[in-house]
Structures are given as structure tokens and as C-alpha cells.
Amino acid sequence: MKMKAGGYQLKPALLILILNLCFYASYQLTELQICKLCTGTVLNNTEVGQFCSSSAGRIEGRCCLRNDNTSDPEHIIGLDLSNCSLTHVDDLQEASTAVMIDLSLNSIVNISDLVFQGFIELHYVILPADIVCPGGNTSWEKEDVKKGNRFCEGQKNMCNQTGQLSINCPENSLCGPYGPGFFECSCADNYRGYKCLREGEFPFLQVFGPLGASTVVISVLLWVTQRRKVKPL
């Protein structure tokens, strides 16, 4: 009996340990890795540091995060990867909500425009002087080279100025910005399907209704089968 009682005493401690491990694992998965891509932190006298201060953001490693009580506390508005000994840049998607990105003072040979695809809020980019602005100079309101760095400012909307249909999008669709040099086409209201050719709302009930009913029937049959296999005592 004493051993049994002792076993019950260990259960709460074991449960707490498991919960702590789960919480830590969850935190590790959600932690923004790009903010720790290189050592150091955002300094106050840098471009991103000054932007972060003026935007009332909070600094975490190499990131400036939006400091408010929204449902997305890990919203990156600034990323400073300057002087990080980077030779190439492949993936910045964790910072796709950034307004300013600094990649200066790195030995980067080339950066694909695809790296910035989907960065619709990006307004400032600082690069080594020999790297062109993402999407080319036609994708930015202003481009300047000073102090050995290239400054790209004011991302342009690649859709036409009217905000209506674009000649690059199919009929019954609307053009929207999708990062420097990119645009995306989305179906207008009441249109859907391939090239937005189908009119009317998607028939969710007709498509998923039979599937849901089939799932319920299968579940009931499995439950009945299992019940039959259980012999009464």
C-alpha cells in the first residue's frame, strides 16, 4: 500500500513535468528563428532601430516586433540582418510582414526576386550597393546608393492605377500587389474556378455534404462492429 501511495504522490509532479516539456516544445516551434539568424540585436542608431523606435515596436534579437495586444504578437515589422556574414539569402518568409529589411554589409552575390514574393507591406529595403532592388528599379518609387549601400524605398503597386481589372489578369478577376515586381489575380465577387469562369458561390453543401454523411455512416458501422466483438462478462 505504501508503494501504491507513493506512486500517486509522483503523478502530479510527473504531470507538471510533461506539461512544462510540452509548453517548451510548443514555444520552440513558434519562436521566430529568423530573429536569431545571426548574433547580436537591433541597435538604436541603425536604420531598423530608428524605425522600430518611431513605430513603438519592441526589439527581439534581430527583429522589431509590433508591440500591441493583437492576436498576432509575433508580427515582424522590421528585420536587421546587416553585417551577418551572409553570402546568400534563400528564405525570409518569417518576415513577410516586415515594413523594413536591412541586408547591408554582407557579401551577398545575388538575391532572387522570389525571396520577397508576398511581402506586400515592404516599404524599405537596404542592400549592398551591387545588388539591385527586388523586382528592379521599376518596382520602387525611389532608389539611391549612398555610403556603400543601396536604398529601395516605396514599393510600387504592379497593378494598374485604377484598381480595377488588369490586362494581366483573366476576366472576372481583380489584380492585387504581391511583393516587389509581383501581382496576384483573385476572382471578383460571385466568380470562382479556373480563370474565374464559373459564376455563383462554391457549392459546399453539395460537395462536402455527401462526404460528411459517408464519414458519419462509416463511423457508426465501425462502432457497431466493435460493440459486437465485445463479449459480455
Side-chain angles (χ1 to χ4, degrees), residues 46-52 54-55 76-81 92 95-104 116 119-127 133-134 139-144 146 150-156 180:
T46 61
E47 297 286 347
V48 175
Q50 294 174 8
F51 165 76
C52 193
S54 64
S55 303
I76 296 176
I77 58 175
L79 176 64
D80 186 351
L81 295 181
L92 297 176
S96 61
T97 57
V99 178
M100 174 180 286
I101 295 180
D102 187 351
L103 295 171
S104 63
F116 299 96
F119 286 58
I120 59 176
E121 298 181 45
L122 190 60
H123 193 73
Y124 304 96
V125 181
I126 307 174
L127 300 165
C133 292
S139 300
W140 299 88
E141 298 288 348
K142 183 180 179 181
E143 181 182 356
D144 193 15
K146 55 184 178 181
R150 185 178 301 275
F151 292 81
C152 315
E153 181 178 349
Q155 181 185 162
K156 289 183 179 180

Side-chain angles (χ1 to χ4, degrees), residues 117-192:
Q117 189 174 24
F119 286 58
I120 59 176
E121 298 181 45
L122 190 60
H123 193 73
Y124 304 96
V125 181
I126 307 174
L127 300 165
D130 55 345
I131 302 296
V132 298
C133 292
N137 57 7
T138 58
S139 300
W140 299 88
E141 298 288 348
K142 183 180 179 181
E143 181 182 356
D144 193 15
V145 176
K146 55 184 178 181
K147 297 181 180 179
N149 298 322
R150 185 178 301 275
F151 292 81
C152 315
E153 181 178 349
Q155 181 185 162
K156 289 183 179 180
N157 188 338
M158 301 309 294
C159 303
N160 59 24
Q161 299 300 314
T162 63
Q164 301 300 317
L165 296 175
S166 169
I167 59 174
N168 296 312
C169 290
E171 189 178 1
N172 304 321
S173 69
L174 298 174
C175 178
Y178 199 57
F182 293 98
F183 65 90
E184 64 175 349
C185 302
S186 57
C187 293
D189 291 343
N190 209 38
Y191 286 92
R192 58 183 175 83

Side-chain angles (χ1 to χ4, degrees), residues 9-24:
Q9 290 174 359
L10 288 175
K11 282 185 178 180
L14 182 61
L15 179 61
I16 292 173
L17 176 61
I18 293 173
L19 289 174
N20 286 335
L21 288 174
C22 291
F23 175 79
Y24 178 76

Side-chain angles (χ1 to χ4, degrees), residues 53 147 163 175 215 227:
S53 177
K147 297 181 180 179
C175 178
T215 303
R227 291 284 294 177

Side-chain angles (χ1 to χ4, degrees), residues 189-192 196-201:
D189 291 343
N190 209 38
Y191 286 92
R192 58 183 175 83
C196 306
L197 294 176
R198 295 189 177 184
E199 188 174 3
E201 296 182 355

